[in-house]
Amino acid sequence: MTFGFSGDFRRALALEFCSKGGTASAAEGFAFQYPSDWVVAFDRSGSVRGNGAVMVAGNFRTFDTVSVFRTEVPAADVARGLTQELGLRLAVEPQEKEASTMRFQVLSSQGPQGQDLQVLRRHHMGRALLINNFLYMLNASAPEDRWAELEPTMAAVVASFRC
């Protein structure tokens, strides 16, 4: 006989797990909780000018990470309020710019000695907050093969992203 937990119970356990971990708080006014075995890799809160990465946390042995990016929002869009369409546009357009810190592409899958490197497919989940004239986007991601196990934890981290 095997026992399983419902999705709601697993999410509740994950939220409890995160609440016993750490809380990342930023001078910009956002915060999120993360599991106890994670570390904050960098925290540029309070010092980022313009658009770009603000904070990254995660378990870097297993490549489970959360990052927060900041994008300036035009005043006219702020006045209209945050919609799903606006959030998506603001999340994608900065990545398409050549000089973006949010942009990436795989240039090579070979190491320095010519060995093949593993390319990890990742699953992502996110949330955005509009604070003053900036959109703060939290992106939680993990390797695709670990997502089924990590989804409740990632959902709890994303749900804890607040201003």
Side-chain angles (χ1 to χ4, degrees):
M1 177 184 284
T2 60
F3 294 94
F5 296 116
S6 72
D8 289 341
F9 184 73
R10 285 184 18 222
R11 278 185 283 285
L13 284 175
L15 192 54
E16 176 70 15
F17 177 65
C18 285
S19 69
K20 292 184 177 173
T23 299
S25 298
E28 289 85 351
F30 67 82
F32 62 90
Q33 295 178 319
Y34 57 89
S36 60
D37 61 340
W38 286 20
V39 296
V40 174
F42 73 82
D43 179 356
R44 297 180 188 155
S45 60
S47 66
V48 174
R49 303 285 184 256
N51 302 333
V54 178
M55 191 177 290
V56 174
N59 180 336
F60 297 96
R61 290 185 304 270
T62 56
F63 304 107
D64 314 328
T65 62
V66 171
S67 54
V68 178
F69 290 92
R70 173 176 133 149
T71 301
E72 190 165 6
V73 180
D77 289 334
V78 172
R80 283 193 295 271
L82 184 59
T83 64
Q84 187 171 355
E85 180 183 330
L86 175 61
L88 185 59
R89 180 172 54 88
L90 292 170
V92 173
E93 284 181 5
Q95 295 178 50
E96 295 172 340
K97 293 180 181 171
E98 199 64 39
S100 173
T101 61
M102 295 168 52
R103 185 168 195 255
F104 66 91
Q105 66 184 42
V106 177
L107 299 175
S108 172
S109 61
Q110 291 193 332
Q113 280 77 40
Q115 72 274 31
D116 286 332
L117 300 176
Q118 181 181 9
V119 176
L120 294 175
R121 293 198 177 277
R122 299 184 67 77
H123 192 103
H124 299 263
M125 176 184 290
R127 182 177 213 166
L129 301 173
L130 186 59
I131 304 172
N132 299 321
N133 286 8
F134 291 94
L135 184 72
Y136 291 88
M137 296 168 288
L138 179 135
N139 177 45
S141 69
E144 191 67 44
D145 63 349
R146 291 178 36 78
W147 187 254
E149 172 191 344
L150 289 169
E151 182 178 11
T153 299
M154 293 305 204
V157 172
V158 169
S160 74
F161 188 50
R162 300 271 187 245
C163 54

